[in-house]
């Protein structure tokens, strides 16, 4: 299978979530199911059904995280340099509004636009790949075209 690029911080966050699910969440939901079973008739027991649903979600997330982590290719951005590529921290200015934004280009599993972590498969990240400081970038977005200028590229 294809490797999934990931930063060290992203890998650590997913690994921490997996440990939390296995050591805290899973045992808690098993206790909740056992407790709900003691209440008798399971067919009309809302606590039991809610606990089973939560268990299903937890088990699914554990499988998803194990799969992601087994395919992860951890890339250390501090060892990279040059034009924009995976792991780059890019400072941009919107050429229309002069609004400055800073993003780090990361893997799909760790992307969080609110925290400035830009998915490598996003239109903006794809447009930025290969560009350098001073370059202008045109991006087609759902809200129409956007123009950005690359102010700086760092690998931290």
């Amino acid at each position: 299978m294809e490797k999934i690029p990931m930063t060290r911080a992203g890998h650590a966050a997913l690994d921490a979530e997996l440990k939390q699910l296995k050591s805290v969440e899973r045992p808690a939901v098993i206790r909740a199911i056992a407790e709900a079973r003691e209440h008798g008739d399971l067919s009309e027991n809302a606590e039991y059904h809610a606990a089973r649903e939560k268990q299903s979600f937890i088990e699914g997330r554990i499988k998803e995280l194990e799969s992601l982590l087994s395919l992860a290719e951890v890339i250390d951005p501090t060892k990279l340099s040059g034009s924009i590529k995976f792991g780059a921290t890019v400072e941009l200015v919107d050429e229309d509004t002069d609004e400055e934004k800073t993003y780090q280009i990361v893997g799909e599993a760790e992307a969080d636009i609110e925290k400035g972590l830009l998915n490598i498969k996003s239109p903006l990240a794809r447009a930025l790949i290969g560009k350098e400081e001073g370059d202008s970038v045109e991006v087609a977005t759902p809200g129409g075209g956007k123009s950005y200028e690359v102010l700086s590229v760092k690998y931290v």
Side-chain angles (χ1 to χ4, degrees), residues 24-129:
V24 178
E25 302 286 331
R26 183 189 265 168
V29 80
I30 289 170
R31 282 192 302 277
I33 289 171
E35 197 175 292
R37 275 195 176 129
E38 292 172 5
H39 295 297
D41 185 16
L42 297 180
S43 65
E44 294 181 18
N45 188 331
E47 287 177 17
Y48 174 77
H49 292 290
R52 292 287 298 178
E53 194 172 306
K54 186 172 182 181
Q55 181 186 35
S56 175
F57 171 78
I58 289 170
E59 294 303 324
R61 184 65 178 154
I62 286 172
K63 281 188 174 61
E64 180 183 7
L65 289 171
E66 287 174 340
S67 174
L68 283 171
L69 291 170
S70 71
L71 295 173
E73 178 182 350
V74 179
I75 297 171
D76 185 358
T78 59
K79 293 187 168 86
L80 303 173
S81 62
S83 63
I84 299 172
K85 55 184 145 284
F86 180 88
T89 299
V90 183
E91 192 177 337
L92 304 171
V93 64
D94 186 318
E95 292 180 344
D96 298 327
T97 65
D98 287 335
E99 182 183 353
E100 291 187 16
K101 296 179 180 180
T102 303
Y103 297 112
Q104 181 179 20
I105 299 175
V106 297
E108 241 179 316
E110 58 188 312
D112 184 348
I113 200 71
E114 301 294 319
K115 294 180 182 173
L117 300 174
L118 187 63
N119 182 344
I120 185 112
K121 294 185 177 178
S122 71
L124 178 56
R126 287 198 314 256
L128 288 170
I129 299 295

Side-chain angles (χ1 to χ4, degrees), residues 17 72 140 149:
E17 182 184 351
E149 182 183 338

